[in-house]
């Protein structure tokens, strides 16, 4: 397992909450939504307004896109961060963006409320150490070929540098299946919660790569005990510059938010009953 002295739950039910500019992750279910990438001011502001109206808690948007091909859209960089800041001013939603280069960490942190480490960088140890030196919340995606233990050791790198604000995020792993873009490993959610006190998120957008599957996998993530989901939403999916096959239109997102609310109420009631029966200790 390695030494997970800071990441481990040590076998008890102690849970950590992470505060992202007024939003507490690790208590109530949290929804992060927004475009795969910040493409323009108009696209980001319209999408931000729509996800806010639907009840999302945090806005996402990539300004540095790690793409498979060097010729694909790479993101707007600093201009994208300024657009995210404007979207925050207009909606009040905290913002999260991916950081890909250790040299960018300190200045990118000045523009956003949370930084994301993408699946391709999960084991980029110099990047992990750099975000570990800040106090920004870090959304640490699971590497697409990584085991739970490797993932938790990466969280440990960040915690060991002094930053306790880490959220784990399952985003699908590589398997022999080709129908879905990745295989969303929902059993990792209760597994990670058994071994670690850190909050656990699920990204069913990259986890499936298919719009038709995102709603059911979001509900399943909640049922599995996830602390929240991250969903890619675009105001006009057919024109998305990145990941258009999994981009959710705002009306569908609003429908999903309603279903999450209904299931969330059931989950809270169910957990309270279990607590009363002494089956679980209150967290
Ligand atoms: C993203 O969330 O924008 C992203 C690129 O995700 P992943 O690193 O999981 O592919
Ligand atoms: Mn994407």
């Amino acid at each position: 397992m390695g030494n997970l002295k800071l990441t481990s739950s040590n076998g008890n039910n102690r849970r950590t909450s992470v505060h992202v500019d007024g939003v507490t992750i690790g208590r109530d279910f949290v929804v992060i939504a927004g475009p795969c990438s910040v493409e323009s001011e108009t696209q980001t502001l319209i999408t931000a307004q729509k996800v806010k109206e639907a009840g999302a808690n945090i806005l996402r948007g990539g300004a540095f896109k790690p793409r498979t091909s060097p010729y694909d859209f790479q993101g707007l960089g600093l201009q994208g961060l300024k657009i995210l800041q404007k979207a925050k001013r207009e909606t009040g939603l905290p913002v999260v963006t991916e950081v890909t280069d250790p040299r960018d960490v300190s200045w990118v942190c000045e523009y956003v409320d949370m930084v994301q480490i993408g699946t391709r960088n999960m084991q980029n140890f110099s990047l992990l150490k750099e975000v570990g030196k800040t106090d920004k919340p870090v959304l640490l995606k699971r590497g697409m070929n990584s085991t739970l233990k490797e993932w938790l050791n990466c969280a440990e790198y960040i915690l060991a540098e002094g930053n306790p604000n880490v959220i784990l995020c399952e985003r699908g792993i590589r398997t022999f299946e080709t129908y879905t873009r990745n295989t969303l490993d929902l059993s990792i959610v209760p597994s990670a919660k058994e071994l670690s006190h850190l909050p656990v998120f699920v990204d069913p957008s990259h986890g499936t790569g298919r719009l038709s599957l995102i709603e059911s996998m979001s509900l399943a993530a909640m049922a599995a005990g996830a602390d929240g989901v991250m969903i890619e939403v675009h105001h006009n999916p057919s024109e998305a510059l990145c990941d258009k096959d999994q981009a959710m239109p705002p009306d569908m997102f609003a429908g999903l938010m309603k279903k999450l609310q209904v299931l969330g109420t059931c989950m809270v009631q169910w957990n309270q009953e279990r607590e009363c029966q002494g089956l679980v200790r209150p967290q």
Side-chain angles (χ1 to χ4, degrees):
M1 185 58 110
N3 186 345
L4 295 176
K5 60 181 175 185
L6 301 172
T7 303
S8 169
S9 60
N10 294 316
N12 62 49
N13 273 349
R14 178 178 70 92
R15 309 264 10 130
T16 291
S17 290
V18 176
H19 302 282
V20 183
D21 192 41
V23 175
T24 302
I25 295 179
R27 200 174 56 195
D28 300 332
F29 195 80
V30 167
V31 177
I32 303 175
C36 178
S37 48
V38 175
E39 298 167 4
S40 69
E41 186 169 309
T42 311
Q43 168 250 12
T44 304
L45 296 185
I46 294 175
T47 306
Q49 202 59 52
K50 298 271 185 196
V51 301
K52 161 85 182 180
E53 281 164 19
N57 309 102
I58 297 174
L59 177 69
R60 64 151 286 145
F64 302 91
K65 297 306 301 177
R67 305 302 301 279
T68 303
S69 163
Y71 307 115
D72 287 341
F73 177 61
Q74 301 285 311
L76 297 180
L78 173 60
Q79 192 198 343
L81 298 177
K82 289 184 176 165
I83 293 172
L84 282 174
Q85 264 193 335
K86 184 161 185 191
K88 178 181 179 176
R89 276 201 302 276
E90 292 201 357
T91 61
L93 294 175
V95 293
V96 55
T97 205
E98 178 168 350
V99 64
T100 54
D101 188 319
R103 294 167 296 184
D104 293 337
V105 169
S106 65
W107 70 267
V108 169
C109 281
E110 290 172 24
Y111 287 86
V112 294
D113 303 293
M114 172 157 65
V115 289
Q116 176 176 317
I117 304 289
T119 190
R120 293 161 188 82
N121 273 315
M122 186 199 81
Q123 284 187 320
N124 181 338
F125 298 114
S126 40
L127 186 58
L128 298 177
K129 286 183 189 169
E130 208 58 37
V131 296
K133 288 184 188 124
T134 75
D135 58 3
K136 276 285 159 193
V138 180
L139 188 69
L140 178 63
K141 295 267 192 117
R142 179 184 180 188
M144 62 181 89
N145 300 307
S146 301
T147 64
L148 173 58
K149 291 172 188 176
E150 287 163 342
W151 191 20
L152 295 180
N153 273 291
C154 291
E156 188 76 19
Y157 263 91
I158 302 171
L159 268 59
E161 291 294 329
N163 186 351
N165 303 310
V166 174
I167 298 131
L168 301 165
C169 182
E170 158 65 19
R171 50 78 68 203
I173 50 173
R174 284 260 164 100
T175 67
F176 50 81
E177 184 54 72
T178 54
Y179 182 68
T180 46
R181 182 177 178 185
N182 293 287
T183 296
L184 188 65
D185 178 13
L186 285 180
S187 69
I188 207 78
V189 174
S191 307
K193 290 190 139 196
E194 268 174 15
L195 294 187
S196 173
H197 57 87
L198 296 173
V200 182
F201 250 65
V202 171
D203 169 354
S205 300
H206 294 90
T208 64
R210 281 182 180 262
L211 180 59
S212 62
L213 305 180
I214 295 172
E215 181 171 287
S216 52
M217 290 301 97
S218 300
L219 295 165
M222 180 185 263
D227 293 290
V229 286
M230 178 155 84
I231 316 269
E232 286 190 346
V233 178
H234 195 289
H235 76 292
N236 190 357
S238 62
E239 286 184 5
L241 292 181
C242 187
D243 290 350
K244 64 161 64 141
D245 294 340
Q246 67 196 39
M248 188 175 276
D251 54 344
M252 192 175 181
F253 176 69
L256 167 58
M257 289 298 291
K258 289 206 178 91
K259 289 184 187 173
L260 283 170
Q261 236 156 28
V262 174
L263 181 61
T265 310
C266 292
M267 295 281 297
V268 168
Q269 260 172 17
W270 183 65
N271 283 333
Q272 279 168 353
E273 280 166 25
R274 277 165 59 90
E275 271 169 32
C276 289
Q277 291 161 4
L279 293 173
V280 289
R281 274 176 282 160
Q283 292 175 358

